[in-house]
Amino acid sequence: MINIVLFGPPGSGKGTQAQNLITKFNLKQISTGDLFRFNIKNDTELGKQAKSYIDKGELVPDKVTIDMLIDEVKKPTDAAGFIFDGFPRTAEQTEALETIVKEHLNSEISICLALIVEDEILVERLLKRGETSGRTDDSNVEIIRNRIKEYYAKTAEVAELYKRQGKYVEVNGVGEINEISEKLYAEIEKLAPPKGKY
Ligand code: C5P
Ligand code: MG
């Protein structure tokens, strides 16, 4: 299995790159942000719990997010592995993911790929996406800045945890989408031999 943590601040291109990576390596994408939005749209109990945090650009409490992720990982799939997009976002989520991947998939995180983009470009990108995404948290510059603030306060330390395990790789997230994908592919292809999986 290949299990990738796709890491980076909001607007760094995680979702966009995940689309290319799932096709290239036959992976299943789990985007916790997308799962929350699906639940909000369908007015589920989980959606109700998450909405107030997301609308302010804050992180949803770890337990809620982790339980949601476990449910998703348990679903049967014939993919060759997973891309975790937007998760983990805290140290606690990072530890939980390690356990979940071990217990439910009998595997481990292969690599944490971090997309590096400077803050002002993030704000620009998110405001632009807000013109069409219909996302409440993309439409207001204060909320966007709060999301970036949450990233530095709670999420950036996740990088340190993967660095310590020698699993952390940074890729420049500014440029042509396909050029960035190629750089990500190259990092993944450096991992353990494919054994006919992809
Ligand atoms: O990943 P994405 O940017 O789509 O996430 C949107 C929002 O969902 C975040 O700003 C946050 O409020 C919430 N979220 C979270 N914890 C995660 C992933 C997303 O609280 N692990
Ligand atoms: Mg996303």
Side-chain angles (χ1 to χ4, degrees):
M1 273 192 120
I2 300 190
N3 296 303
I4 298 167
V5 169
L6 203 49
F7 188 75
S12 57
K14 299 184 294 293
T16 304
Q17 292 302 330
Q19 284 311 306
N20 284 345
L21 290 167
I22 56 173
T23 315
K24 172 93 177 167
F25 298 104
N26 181 30
L27 303 172
K28 177 175 173 175
Q29 174 192 13
I30 298 185
S31 161
T32 39
D34 287 349
L35 290 170
F36 283 132
R37 284 184 288 277
F38 177 84
N39 278 279
I40 290 170
K41 204 172 121 205
N42 290 288
D43 206 19
T44 66
E45 204 43 53
L46 175 67
K48 281 180 199 144
Q49 273 180 300
K51 189 176 181 345
S52 60
Y53 298 97
I54 292 177
D55 284 348
K56 284 182 273 185
E58 291 171 8
L59 291 189
V60 177
D62 283 325
K63 178 156 181 12
V64 176
T65 311
I66 290 167
D67 286 350
M68 177 177 77
L69 185 96
I70 291 173
D71 285 345
E72 205 56 31
V73 166
K74 280 168 141 177
K75 291 183 182 163
T77 171
D78 55 10
F82 289 84
I83 292 188
F84 299 97
D85 159 7
F87 185 98
R89 262 181 159 91
T90 63
E92 192 175 330
Q93 290 177 21
T94 309
E95 278 171 36
L97 183 62
E98 186 158 342
T99 309
I100 292 162
V101 170
K102 198 183 287 169
E103 285 180 4
H104 296 284
L105 305 173
N106 194 21
S107 188
E108 57 179 42
I109 295 299
S110 318
I111 191 167
C112 171
L113 290 168
L115 294 165
I116 306 302
V117 178
E118 63 188 77
D119 292 356
E120 286 319 301
I121 299 180
L122 298 173
V123 175
E124 241 173 68
R125 283 185 183 180
L126 292 169
L127 281 172
K128 183 140 193 293
R129 184 172 77 184
E131 292 169 11
T132 53
S133 70
R135 280 179 58 168
T136 45
D137 60 346
D138 281 347
S139 57
N140 171 306
V141 76
E142 295 308 315
I143 298 172
I144 288 173
R145 291 208 184 274
N146 201 39
R147 288 162 65 194
I148 296 172
K149 201 174 115 209
E150 284 279 88
Y151 172 81
Y152 287 110
K154 296 176 185 165
T155 306
E157 66 176 355
V158 169
E160 297 306 315
L161 300 173
Y162 287 114
K163 263 183 216 169
R164 258 185 249 160
Q165 299 183 22
K167 291 181 176 174
Y168 179 80
V169 178
E170 292 187 342
V171 166
N172 182 358
V174 183
E176 287 292 320
I177 290 171
N178 288 332
E179 276 173 24
I180 299 166
S181 299
E182 291 295 335
K183 287 188 253 173
L184 296 172
Y185 299 163
E187 294 301 334
I188 295 164
E189 280 160 355
K190 283 187 207 161
L191 297 171
K195 291 188 194 136
K197 280 272 186 167
Y198 54 83

